[in-house]
Amino acid sequence: MSSSPAIAATNPDHAAHEALRLLGPAPANWVPAHAGIDHNVLVVGGGQTGSAFAFALQRAGIGGVSVIDAAEKASQAGVWLTRARMHKLRTLKNLVGPEGPVTALGFQAWYEARHGQEAYAAIDRIPRTAWAEYLDWFRDITATAVRYGTRLVRFEPVEGAPVPHFRLHLEVNGEPRTETARKLIFANGVAGSGAPFIPELLASAVSQGLAAHTGHAIDFAALAGKTVAVVGAAASAFDAAAVALESGAAAVHLFARRDRLAATPVARVRGYPGLYDNYLALPDATRWHHAARYRRLGTTPPPDSVQRVLKFPHFHLHLSSPWQGAQVRDGKVVASVNDESFRFDFVIAGTGYTHEFAQRPELAGIADQVLRWRDRFAPPAHERDDELGTAPYLGAGLELLEKTPGTAPWLRDIHIYNPGGFASTGLPLGDVPSIRGYVPAVVRRISEDLLLADFALHEERTRAEVPPDFDESLYASAIWQAGAGQRLAA
């Protein structure tokens, strides 16, 4: 029997509060405080994975956690109300999200409390705006505080400190500030390990405001009546094309390099628990093969993303159509494609993201010290992928490793939780499917590292004299005294 939406709405958060009550209070912070250290963990990014880390660290008894986000306010943070343009999430609706094992804090429980079980059963995937609303609720119900308007500009290890930590150079509401932290988690989205990739032939158009990447803010209303090109054929490209059409574009042309749209969800065959849960234990050659195969076959747009643009007769799909050149002439972008010339008012590049640390200001200073896949593994010729080779080679706790042993041991205190880790994990870190397995893995490693770094203090704490809970007076009256009482009959 389905629940009544009207009844659920009378106290929609009751189940969540009850689940937290039964779970019991979070363990007290067990990490020793140290003078001069502001935070045990700084989480860069306040979106869905930043929220997941805040909750998981809290339940692990790790205090001193600060979550920052460069967005000025919650509605501008993450992608769901800004750069994401799909109607529905691209993943299954029942995957574990930031709630971890506490199912009463999950999306399904939240959605059913507001709309009823029948409403949840009726949706095939999660509506994008509902997911954004759920994340706001999750942060509120778990008391996750995000410091908005706070950007990490750069950082460096503090040399010779009794406890390893970083000096953080922040920009808080436009003002510089210096803080310190022992651990860093980069949960900072699709461009978190690099930057949006802009093909060189579009650089001039971008600089003149005639082109933009799908990861950038785009004024779609201004495209009404315009002829628009979309370069790329992954999901984000189709979503951008759809919004342009829905905003009144006169025509939208989408250009794909392949002779057909990618339609093989190759990652699905390795989504079972045995492989998924033990992926980091697989040989490098196996992990590289899966990552290279995924990139070779291409990212598949959901069928409904394709159907969304096909409703418009002025949508035009160009297959086997890589751009040979592009020039700006008289306020238009003139593209050369397969010996044809096209004129566009605006171009949208759905061309993916790089994983080059040097392109991110806060990571540029460590770019040359980080171990990359190209440093660790030489693939066979048929699986060569230079872009994949730039990805960081991550440890079991998704920590960075040093390229030259002994030169930067502090890199292990930096944890990467963005798509730059794809080659290591086999999943785009930051997407919902990655949360169930990899958030706990990072938290376990952080917990272990913080414990061992302060092991002498914990030894002292755990070997201290412990006062007894009671003395002999509690049970003195029940002690058997030989010969003092009547003997039992033989």
Side-chain angles (χ1 to χ4, degrees):
M1 180 181 296
S2 65
S3 63
S4 165
I7 294 175
T10 59
N11 192 356
D13 300 334
H14 173 75
H17 286 296
E18 183 66 5
L20 288 173
R21 185 187 71 82
L22 294 174
L23 192 62
N29 177 27
W30 53 263
V31 183
H34 292 276
I37 297 180
D38 300 314
H39 315 292
N40 291 320
V41 184
L42 182 82
V43 182
V44 182
Q48 62 191 28
T49 46
S51 303
F53 274 116
F55 182 56
L57 289 164
Q58 176 194 103
R59 297 308 308 182
I62 298 173
V65 175
S66 180
V67 182
I68 66 171
D69 199 291
E72 294 181 2
K73 53 186 177 181
S75 62
Q76 298 172 350
V79 300
W80 303 114
L81 299 178
T82 54
R83 298 181 301 280
R85 302 175 180 110
M86 73 286 280
H87 287 322
K88 296 178 284 190
L89 272 61
R90 299 174 185 132
T91 50
L92 299 174
K93 68 179 181 180
N94 59 349
L95 296 177
V96 175
E99 76 278 8
V102 189
T103 56
L105 303 186
F107 177 83
Q108 180 175 353
W110 173 85
Y111 195 86
E112 288 183 351
R114 280 152 179 75
H115 306 291
Q117 293 179 6
E118 290 181 356
Y120 177 79
I123 61 173
D124 59 340
R125 302 202 309 276
I126 298 174
R128 171 177 56 84
T129 54
W131 182 251
E133 186 181 351
Y134 159 71
L135 291 175
D136 283 342
W137 171 85
F138 178 83
R139 283 185 284 268
D140 181 64
I141 210 79
T142 58
T144 297
V146 179
R147 299 163 59 194
Y148 294 105
T150 303
R151 181 189 303 276
L152 177 62
V153 178
R154 59 186 175 86
F155 64 91
E156 68 269 349
V158 177
E159 302 290 348
V163 176
H165 64 280
F166 298 101
R167 182 179 297 109
L168 315 172
H169 300 274
L170 305 173
E171 188 177 86
V172 181
N173 297 321
E175 298 295 326
R177 181 182 298 177
T178 302
E179 298 177 5
T180 53
R182 297 176 67 174
K183 284 278 191 177
L184 299 177
I185 301 175
F186 283 91
N188 52 345
V190 290
S193 288
F197 173 66
I198 301 290
E200 182 60 32
L201 55 80
L202 284 177
S204 177
V206 170
S207 67
Q208 297 182 57
L210 297 175
H213 192 274
T214 53
H216 297 155
I218 298 175
D219 183 1
F220 282 94
L223 301 182
K226 303 292 181 64
T227 300
V228 178
V230 178
V231 180
S236 61
F238 273 95
D239 292 337
V243 178
L245 290 162
E246 291 161 358
S247 300
V252 172
H253 295 252
L254 188 144
F255 295 84
R257 291 177 299 171
R258 306 171 190 273
D259 61 359
R260 64 189 64 191
L261 296 181
T264 306
V266 65
R268 191 175 298 167
V269 299
R270 53 185 170 85
Y272 55 93
L275 195 73
Y276 173 90
D277 292 343
N278 302 294
Y279 197 84
L280 290 172
L282 298 179
D284 287 351
T286 300
R287 291 192 288 167
W288 180 274
H289 166 77
H290 286 304
R293 182 187 182 197
Y294 178 88
R295 284 173 48 80
R296 186 171 64 253
L297 292 176
T299 304
T300 59
D304 56 318
S305 290
V306 180
Q307 293 164 349
R308 186 177 170 190
V309 298
L310 295 179
K311 296 185 297 183
F312 295 87
H314 44 295
F315 170 76
H316 308 285
L317 176 63
H318 300 252
L319 298 174
S320 300
S321 299
W323 283 26
Q324 281 85 46
Q327 296 179 334
V328 175
R329 297 179 191 165
D330 301 324
K332 307 281 187 181
V333 178
V334 181
S336 300
V337 186
N338 292 338
D339 299 323
E340 289 188 79
S341 181
F342 297 87
R343 293 172 65 86
F344 297 107
D345 297 299
F346 196 80
V347 180
I348 300 173
T351 45
Y353 298 82
T354 72
H355 303 311
E356 181 46 67
F357 280 20
Q359 295 179 317
R360 288 203 66 89
E362 70 272 31
L363 296 174
I366 65 172
D368 294 336
Q369 298 167 291
V370 172
L371 181 72
R372 314 295 184 100
W373 269 85
R374 66 189 177 209
D375 305 319
R376 178 72 180 241
F377 179 72
H382 70 282
E383 288 188 340
R384 177 174 173 174
D385 188 322
D386 292 341
E387 184 178 339
L388 194 62
T390 66
Y393 186 98
L394 302 180
L398 307 191
E399 75 274 17
L400 294 177
L401 302 175
E402 50 190 349
K403 180 178 179 179
T404 304
T407 59
W410 42 266
L411 285 172
R412 65 174 285 121
D413 291 321
I414 303 171
H415 301 262
I416 297 298
Y417 206 92
N418 56 49
F422 173 71
S424 295
T425 64
L427 285 173
L429 292 171
D431 286 1
V432 178
S434 70
I435 294 176
R436 180 183 69 85
Y438 289 115
V439 165
V442 174
V443 172
R444 281 195 300 270
R445 173 52 58 83
I446 288 176
S447 179
E448 176 184 318
D449 288 350
L450 291 176
L451 176 75
L452 295 180
D454 286 322
F455 193 62
L457 295 176
H458 290 288
E459 283 272 81
E460 181 180 354
R461 175 179 174 178
T462 56
R463 296 187 182 194
E465 291 295 328
V466 179
D469 286 342
F470 50 85
D471 59 26
E472 292 182 358
S473 65
L474 178 66
Y475 52 85
S477 62
I479 298 176
W480 175 266
Q481 299 292 333
Q486 185 178 3
R487 292 182 181 276
L488 296 175

